[in-house]
Amino acid sequence: MKEIFKIECMRAFRNKKFLLMALAGCLIALLDLAQCAEKIEPGYTNVFESNAVVTSLYFWMPNHGDVSKYYYVYKVLIPVMAAIPYGSSYVEDKRSGLINQLILRCKNKKDYYITKFIVTFINGGTIAAIPIVASLIISMCVAPWGIPVYSVSFYSVGKRAVFAELFYKHPELYVIIYITYVFILFGLLNCLCLTVGFFEENKYAVILVPFLVYYGSSFIMKYLFGSTASLMTTSGMMLLYKDIAVYVAVQIFIVFVVDLLFFMKIKKDVI
């Protein structure tokens, strides 16, 4: 399994599509910071000299929410961006016949599918997390790291948000949890490409599936249930409120179950 895992990792991470999506994510983070800096009024910059210290988290992209057009672009496009480098690889393997050669390299047929699932998950999660991490690094070059102050209203994390207390007491832990949440969410969404690959051979249609589920969640939760607990809205954990966290968790669990259907049809696949 180590050999096939190494091969798939190289295919997933050492390709032009991955590099292009990673650079696009970093560009979004940079443009978001530039937009944030432009919107600070001259009088408002005096806050840097006050006792209410502006930390790097103020400039962090998730803190800007949909007010930032670049963060909004990130929220809308990231499921597709995450799927482009490797999401359609399973379909491409079947169409080209490469799947047969790869399976022959494995001691067990299941090794190929397990590896494909793991690498697809990691690849999708990595692409989604890169802009968030890049934004944090850039922000730390602009302002110092520090403990956010709730009373100054510089931050989007309200008392209703999950881990709100952690954000204002141990922001480093909050950031780790935030990035992990983004990684898992989009990693699981990316794995939907594998399940769909059993009955859809058009790689472009397969790449769009995570986006359709992601956006469809927003439509269903908003128009049918009148709730903001959609995957698209809460992909930014700062908008994940305690009273809707259960609904979001259920949706993520459903996505995970659908992902696992990929393993149920192994016997019906080639070889």
Side-chain angles (χ1 to χ4, degrees), residues 116-173:
K116 181 67 72 174
F117 186 90
I118 294 174
V119 176
T120 300
F121 174 80
I122 295 175
N123 191 260
T126 301
I127 289 293
I130 283 176
I132 304 299
V133 175
S135 176
L136 181 63
I137 294 173
I138 296 171
S139 298
M140 292 175 71
C141 296
V142 176
W145 181 265
I147 305 297
V149 179
Y150 177 76
S151 59
V152 297
S153 302
F154 291 163
Y155 306 97
S156 299
V157 181
K159 292 183 178 179
R160 293 175 53 208
V162 295
F163 304 116
E165 293 183 2
L166 197 62
F167 179 81
Y168 291 104
K169 291 183 179 180
H170 302 284
E172 66 283 354
L173 296 179

Side-chain angles (χ1 to χ4, degrees), residues 32 38 53 135 143 155 219:
D32 175 80
E38 288 178 0
V53 179
S135 176
Y155 306 97
F219 177 83

Side-chain angles (χ1 to χ4, degrees), residues 30-251:
L30 185 61
L31 291 173
D32 175 80
L33 178 64
Q35 177 182 285
C36 178
E38 288 178 0
K39 288 188 175 182
I40 297 179
E41 299 177 2
Y44 189 66
T45 57
N46 292 332
V47 73
F48 288 100
E49 301 174 1
S50 70
N51 293 326
V53 179
V54 173
T55 71
S56 51
L57 290 175
Y58 171 77
F59 295 97
W60 193 31
M61 186 166 64
N63 187 54
H64 308 153
D66 292 348
V67 174
S68 167
K69 61 183 178 182
Y70 296 107
Y71 181 64
Y72 183 74
V73 168
Y74 163 82
K75 281 181 62 176
V76 172
L77 296 183
I78 196 60
V80 178
M81 291 175 62
I84 286 176
Y86 191 73
S88 62
S89 64
Y90 173 63
V91 171
E92 293 173 358
D93 287 356
K94 290 204 303 180
R95 291 182 61 181
S96 65
L98 180 61
I99 186 174
N100 298 313
Q101 299 178 39
L102 292 173
I103 289 178
L104 288 174
R105 287 174 173 265
C106 303
K107 294 181 179 180
N108 190 315
K109 183 179 177 181
K110 291 182 179 180
D111 290 347
Y112 167 80
Y113 295 92
I114 294 173
T115 299
K116 181 67 72 174
F117 186 90
I118 294 174
V119 176
T120 300
F121 174 80
I122 295 175
N123 191 260
T126 301
I127 289 293
I130 283 176
I132 304 299
V133 175
S135 176
L136 181 63
I137 294 173
I138 296 171
S139 298
M140 292 175 71
C141 296
V142 176
W145 181 265
I147 305 297
V149 179
Y150 177 76
S151 59
V152 297
S153 302
F154 291 163
Y155 306 97
S156 299
V157 181
K159 292 183 178 179
R160 293 175 53 208
V162 295
F163 304 116
E165 293 183 2
L166 197 62
F167 179 81
Y168 291 104
K169 291 183 179 180
H170 302 284
E172 66 283 354
L173 296 179
Y174 180 89
V175 169
I176 292 173
I177 294 173
Y178 189 106
I179 295 172
T180 302
Y181 171 73
V182 169
F183 186 94
I184 293 174
L185 174 60
F186 290 100
L188 291 176
L189 283 171
N190 201 37
C191 288
L192 291 174
C193 295
L194 299 176
T195 302
V196 176
F198 276 112
F199 52 84
E200 177 57 60
E201 295 186 355
N202 187 312
K203 67 177 184 179
Y204 300 106
V206 168
I207 288 174
L208 285 175
V209 168
F211 171 79
L212 294 176
V213 172
Y214 180 70
Y215 188 78
S217 166
S218 179
F219 177 83
I220 293 173
M221 296 305 296
K222 182 177 181 179
Y223 294 102
L224 297 186
F225 295 97
S227 173
T228 58
S230 69
L231 295 179
M232 184 173 180
T233 301
T234 58
S235 61
M237 200 174 73
M238 291 183 177
L239 295 178
L240 178 56
Y241 302 125
K242 297 173 183 177
D243 56 335
I244 63 173
V246 174
Y247 302 106
V248 176
V250 169
Q251 293 176 78

